[in-house]
């Protein structure tokens, strides 16, 4: 397996995360602020700490699975763990300026 630096892999992961959309809001989950953290270790194992817009979100089952599958599909990724948290709870304040603009909130 070719060596790739962790920063480059992190950027690839973010690029993939930006292709995953919340089905109820036309903004990707990264810009929406649903991704709290991305960890990559030296063996290219990835851990993603994420949340949902609400605990009873209709995609609570499928969205983390979609994230896991798409990140696993990156060649350099060895393993993926998705940790779902609601602490802190998601709020509109976590959205990027781009997402707020997209939704007419600016």
């Amino acid at each position: 397996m070719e060596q790739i630096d962790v920063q480059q892999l992190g950027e690839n992961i973010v690029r993939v995360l930006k292709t995953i959309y919340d089905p109820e809001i036309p903004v990707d989950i990264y810009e929406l602020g649903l991704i709290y953290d991305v960890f990559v270790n030296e063996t290219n194992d990835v851990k993603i700490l994420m949340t949902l817009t609400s605990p009873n979100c209709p995609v609570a089952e499928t969205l983390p699975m979609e994230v896991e599958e798409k990140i696993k599909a990156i060649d350099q990724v060895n393993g993926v763990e998705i940790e779902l948290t609601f602490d802190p709870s998601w709020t509109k304040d976590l959205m990027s300026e781009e997402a707020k603009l997209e939704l007419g909130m600016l």
Side-chain angles (χ1 to χ4, degrees):
M1 187 162 79
E2 75 178 81
Q3 274 303 96
I4 184 169
D5 72 53
V6 171
Q7 183 176 350
Q8 180 66 50
L9 184 53
E11 289 170 12
N12 291 352
I13 290 167
V14 168
R15 209 175 358 261
V16 170
L17 290 171
K18 287 184 171 198
T19 69
I20 303 170
Y21 285 78
D22 183 295
E24 298 178 331
I25 308 168
V27 174
D28 71 76
I29 62 172
Y30 190 83
E31 297 296 339
L32 207 49
L34 297 182
I35 303 299
Y36 286 167
D37 222 331
V38 176
F39 306 95
V40 180
N41 70 13
E42 60 282 342
T43 58
N44 291 357
D45 288 314
V46 177
K47 180 176 180 184
I48 296 177
L49 183 62
M50 68 176 290
T51 193
L52 300 169
T53 51
S54 75
N56 51 5
C57 176
V59 293
E61 297 295 313
T62 58
L63 194 59
M65 285 172 32
E66 181 181 355
V67 170
E68 183 177 348
E69 286 169 12
K70 288 194 173 175
I71 299 306
K72 267 186 188 161
I74 299 172
D75 285 345
Q76 298 83 9
V77 169
N78 189 28
V80 180
E81 179 189 344
I82 306 296
E83 184 178 329
L84 207 52
T85 184
F86 293 99
D87 182 28
S89 298
W90 180 85
T91 66
K92 290 180 173 71
D93 295 340
L94 295 170
M95 293 168 53
S96 69
E97 295 291 308
E98 185 180 311
K100 290 176 182 172
L101 189 63
E102 182 80 26
L103 296 173
M105 298 170 71
L106 285 180

